[in-house]
Amino acid sequence: MAGGPAVDAVREQIRQWLAEDIGSGDVTTMAAVPAGHLSQGVIHTKQSGIIAGLPLARLVFSVVDPGLRFDQYVTDGDFAEKGTVLALVEGSTHSILTGERLSLNLLQRLSGIASKTNRYVSAAAGLPVRISDTRKTTPGHRTLEKYAVRAGGGANHRFGLYDAVMIKDNHIKAAGGIAAAVRAVKSRIPHTMMIEVEAENLMQAEEAAQAGAHIIMLDNMNTEMMIEAVTLIRRLASHIVIEASGGITEERIAEIGRCGVDVISVGGLTHSFQALDISLDLNGIKKEALL
């Protein structure tokens, strides 16, 4: 998966997810479908949207049965109209039905994230601002969900607590203020690591800029305060990256982008999305006919 997580690590996750679903065996398929039965499964989308996760679907079927053939007709990041055939999987009917749900779960969820991200990115079209995700991801799925954000045209924020400093409200309280927190961090981290500070008001934005923050997050500010904060920060240190976050809706993206911020981070890209409706039909016959 180009630009995505390491294949070996994902394959191991898939084995665990299949074990959770299959357990001691797919009793329905084994009882209802003759051994040796062959089929072609048609994977198609019942909603228009950005597709993400097809390489994962391929991996799922290959782990279930390396003998299955998987032909993909759409690339992750592509927009697919309702009714588009995304891929065909051919071979053992037992294997196709056993891998169907996991492959669709991943494909639907990641495509939902990519589609939502793309709507936010489109709302910011023409503005010098990037749309970013946050750490508000499904436990165990962060790498995949952040991959889906990129497939939708968005950018990734830090991946975890280990790769960047973000001084938030509770850090500020525990450290005794923004300046004290920034001083403490600078004395302990590598000089190559960025420091971001969360600011909830103009006073905190000013203190963060004066303390030497590389990035200042304007958290839950209304438009008027955000414009004031951007003007203040640019006057004090023009090199600081300014991020807007907190309750960002698709309707506010353009308005916020015009405030002069560099990044808009949206937790809802990965915690409040709607999965894209994608199905697998056997030889054009609805899978429900087999139940």
Side-chain angles (χ1 to χ4, degrees):
M1 196 155 54
V7 172
D8 288 344
V10 175
R11 186 178 282 111
E12 181 55 37
Q13 285 185 299
I14 286 171
R15 289 192 183 99
Q16 295 172 18
W17 295 330
L18 284 169
E20 173 187 60
D21 197 30
I22 299 170
S24 59
D26 179 357
V27 294
T28 307
T29 297
M30 290 188 294
V33 181
H37 193 283
L38 300 177
S39 290
Q40 178 187 76
V42 181
I43 300 175
H44 61 98
T45 179
K46 297 165 76 174
Q47 284 180 287
S48 299
I50 303 295
I51 302 304
L54 278 169
L56 280 172
R58 178 194 296 272
L59 268 177
V60 169
F61 286 116
S62 72
V63 171
V64 171
D65 181 352
L68 290 175
R69 175 176 173 174
F70 189 95
D71 293 321
Q72 159 179 344
Y73 302 112
V74 173
T75 301
D76 279 9
D78 286 350
F79 176 82
E81 295 282 0
K82 176 182 177 180
T84 299
V85 174
L86 308 178
L88 297 177
V89 57
E90 295 179 313
S92 162
T93 306
H94 278 209
S95 299
I96 293 172
L97 294 178
T98 298
E100 174 189 7
R101 178 42 51 203
L102 177 57
S103 64
L104 290 181
N105 281 350
L106 292 168
L107 189 55
Q108 289 173 322
R109 292 175 63 81
L110 296 192
S111 296
I113 291 171
S115 297
K116 181 167 186 174
T117 301
N118 190 254
R119 291 195 299 271
Y120 275 71
V121 170
S122 297
L127 296 170
V129 64
R130 59 171 22 186
I131 305 301
S132 169
D133 55 25
T134 72
R135 284 170 51 241
K136 295 177 181 177
T137 55
T138 308
H141 289 250
R142 179 170 296 170
T143 303
L144 300 180
E145 292 179 353
K146 282 180 172 285
Y147 166 79
V149 167
R150 297 196 302 277
N156 294 148
H157 208 288
R158 60 177 178 163
F159 267 76
L161 297 173
Y162 56 87
D163 61 346
V165 171
M166 181 181 287
I167 300 172
K168 302 180 66 118
D169 54 349
N170 286 328
H171 298 109
I172 294 167
K173 292 173 187 175
I178 289 175
V182 172
R183 280 196 305 271
V185 165
K186 282 187 173 182
S187 71
R188 293 176 172 88
I189 65 168
H191 70 281
T192 54
M193 188 169 283
M194 304 285 277
I195 299 174
E196 180 165 7
V197 177
E198 180 182 87
E200 297 178 344
N201 52 54
L202 296 177
M203 185 179 300
Q204 289 186 333
E206 181 175 10
E207 187 176 358
Q210 292 175 334
H214 303 108
I215 308 165
I216 297 177
M217 176 196 287
L218 308 180
D219 187 47
N220 282 299
M221 289 189 181
N222 60 38
T223 304
E224 293 73 22
M225 184 182 291
M226 195 175 296
I227 292 171
E228 288 186 63
V230 169
T231 302
L232 173 64
I233 294 167
R234 298 285 186 227
R235 186 173 70 246
L236 292 171
S238 60
H239 65 279
I240 292 176
V241 174
I242 304 176
E243 175 182 341
S245 191
I248 307 293
T249 62
E250 185 178 341
E251 292 72 26
R252 287 194 69 206
I253 287 290
E255 175 187 327
I256 294 171
R258 286 192 288 268
C259 291
V261 300
D262 302 295
V263 179
I264 302 174
S265 58
V266 185
L269 298 181
T270 54
H271 75 62
S272 299
F273 62 91
Q274 181 178 2
L276 204 66
D277 191 357
I278 298 172
S279 283
L280 184 152
D281 297 341
L282 290 182
N283 293 329
I285 301 172
K286 296 293 184 184
K287 60 182 180 298
E288 288 80 4
L290 298 173
L291 301 180

